Amino acid sequence: MLLFRPVCSLCKEWKKEILNHHTHRNGEVNWGNCRPWLWPSNSWEFAKAYMPRGKADISGPDKCDASALLNLFNFCDHFSSIDQTKVREVIKCRNELMHSSDMKVSSSWLKTFENHVQSLLKEFQHVPEAEGACTRIKKLLSSDWAVHIPGEDQLDGLEGEMSQSQIREIEAELIKERLHEISLAMEIQGMMSNEDVNKIQIVRNFLKDNHDLQRTLEAEIQNLEVLVQLYRQKQPTKETQKVNYEQAKDEGCPLQKKEAHTMKNLTIP
């Protein structure tokens, strides 16, 4: 947990209040998301304490991704009236989608996902916008997501429900979130793990033949590549690691130390 040491009595009380409403008192609180001086006047600023890292510049709920709001529902007891089982089911689906090794899901999985999302949205029937969201999500998830090659394929299912531009927009948002997660994980770890390398390669393979997405996500891709180069420079090669290991092993060996001392004192006649 990132430590937060209030500099005034007011901030100290706000911190205490935020922790009092956390459903996992010993869990992680991302104080770096918040601007404490805005807590008295902007409720969104203390809501971000319950969200994942990297939300400091998110100015409102309409600007954040689903994971941020789901974490808020899960970790803030202000939302305890919501069935938390429904929240966790959607979180589980969201994680499965974002961490899919081949970035694919089955039709049955998509149907299960739709059921969980619709079930959670029923908890917000008192919110006027919830009904419209239900309709849009149902339309989105019931659309035909098959790749259509003009002149070769015939579309099955609900043709015309979604345009190609809408599908590309959704794909771009999902990939953008995936890239952001990978970058954030690397920054937090301070290194690039083998898992990160595999995730990056999967995204590269997915984008390889999709030039529209490459153009849309150019800034995100470039930022990630800069991070990759940075952490590659920090990581020693296997050969360097081997040499360093051998040197360390030799330096720690009494026999080698004795031999080195003898060679140092050896004079050539």
Side-chain angles (χ1 to χ4, degrees):
M1 182 189 298
L2 178 66
L3 294 178
F4 169 62
R5 296 184 175 86
V7 295
C8 69
S9 58
L10 185 59
C11 285
K12 185 176 181 180
E13 288 302 313
W14 274 104
K15 176 184 177 180
K16 181 180 177 181
E17 195 68 15
I18 288 171
L19 292 175
N20 285 341
H21 288 281
H22 204 292
T23 57
H24 297 265
R25 302 298 164 84
N26 296 322
E28 186 174 23
V29 179
N30 293 306
W31 301 109
N33 285 341
C34 308
R35 295 179 173 88
W37 60 91
L38 294 178
W39 281 342
S41 59
N42 189 339
S43 58
W44 180 251
E45 283 301 322
F46 63 78
K48 290 191 293 185
Y50 304 98
M51 298 178 187
R53 289 184 180 92
K55 308 302 177 186
D57 296 326
I58 305 301
S59 58
D62 57 326
K63 304 295 183 183
C64 70
D65 54 35
S67 66
L69 295 179
L70 290 169
N71 273 264
L72 176 61
F73 298 156
N74 192 34
F75 293 125
C76 180
D77 66 6
H78 177 75
F79 300 95
S80 58
S81 59
I82 300 172
D83 187 338
Q84 291 300 306
T85 302
K86 295 180 179 181
V87 176
R88 286 190 288 271
E89 287 292 347
V90 175
I91 290 175
K92 179 183 175 183
C93 287
R94 181 261 172 201
N95 290 341
E96 289 173 351
L97 176 63
M98 294 307 300
H99 302 151
S100 168
S101 60
D102 57 3
M103 303 185 73
K104 296 178 182 178
V105 294
S106 65
S107 298
S108 60
W109 183 94
L110 204 58
K111 183 62 180 175
T112 300
F113 180 42
E114 177 187 352
N115 292 338
H116 286 318
V117 172
Q118 296 285 9
S119 179
L120 176 58
L121 283 173
K122 286 179 182 178
E123 298 288 313
F124 297 90
Q125 289 181 343
H126 59 287
V127 179
E129 293 84 0
E131 185 176 352
C134 282
T135 303
R136 290 193 299 273
I137 290 172
K138 186 173 182 178
K139 180 179 178 181
L140 169 67
L141 295 178
S142 62
S143 297
D144 192 334
W145 286 76
V147 176
H148 173 55
I149 301 175
E152 295 184 18
D153 294 338
Q154 293 297 322
L155 283 175
D156 296 326
L158 301 176
E159 182 176 359
E161 284 289 339
M162 289 183 64
S163 66
Q164 289 187 4
S165 62
Q166 288 175 310
I167 292 177
R168 282 197 296 269
E169 184 179 339
I170 294 167
E171 285 179 333
E173 287 301 318
L174 289 172
I175 298 297
K176 184 184 293 186
E177 186 176 349
R178 184 68 173 270
L179 292 171
H180 177 71
E181 281 192 352
I182 296 171
S183 299
L184 190 59
M186 289 167 60
E187 289 174 358
I188 292 169
Q189 298 169 61
M191 60 173 288
M192 183 170 60
S193 66
N194 290 334
E195 184 181 358
D196 294 328
V197 173
N198 292 335
K199 287 179 180 179
I200 292 167
Q201 191 56 49
I202 289 168
V203 174
R204 283 173 175 161
N205 292 341
F206 183 81
L207 294 174
K208 183 170 60 176
D209 298 321
N210 198 322
H211 302 296
D212 288 338
L213 279 177
Q214 286 181 30
R215 285 192 293 270
T216 302
L217 301 170
E218 184 177 359
E220 287 79 9
I221 294 170
Q222 185 174 358
N223 290 339
L224 181 60
E225 293 297 344
V226 169
L227 273 179
V228 169
Q229 293 302 321
L230 175 64
Y231 289 120
R232 274 183 178 162
Q233 291 170 9
K234 288 184 178 181
Q235 291 175 325
T237 63
K238 290 184 178 179
E239 190 63 32
T240 303
Q241 289 175 333
K242 181 179 178 181
V243 170
N244 291 341
Y245 171 75
E246 293 296 337
Q247 289 175 344
K249 184 173 68 174
D250 291 344
E251 289 170 0
C253 176
L255 183 61
Q256 289 288 344
K257 287 182 179 178
K258 183 177 180 181
E259 183 179 343
H261 180 72
T262 302
M263 292 298 293
K264 182 178 180 182
N265 296 324
L266 183 64
T267 58
I268 301 175

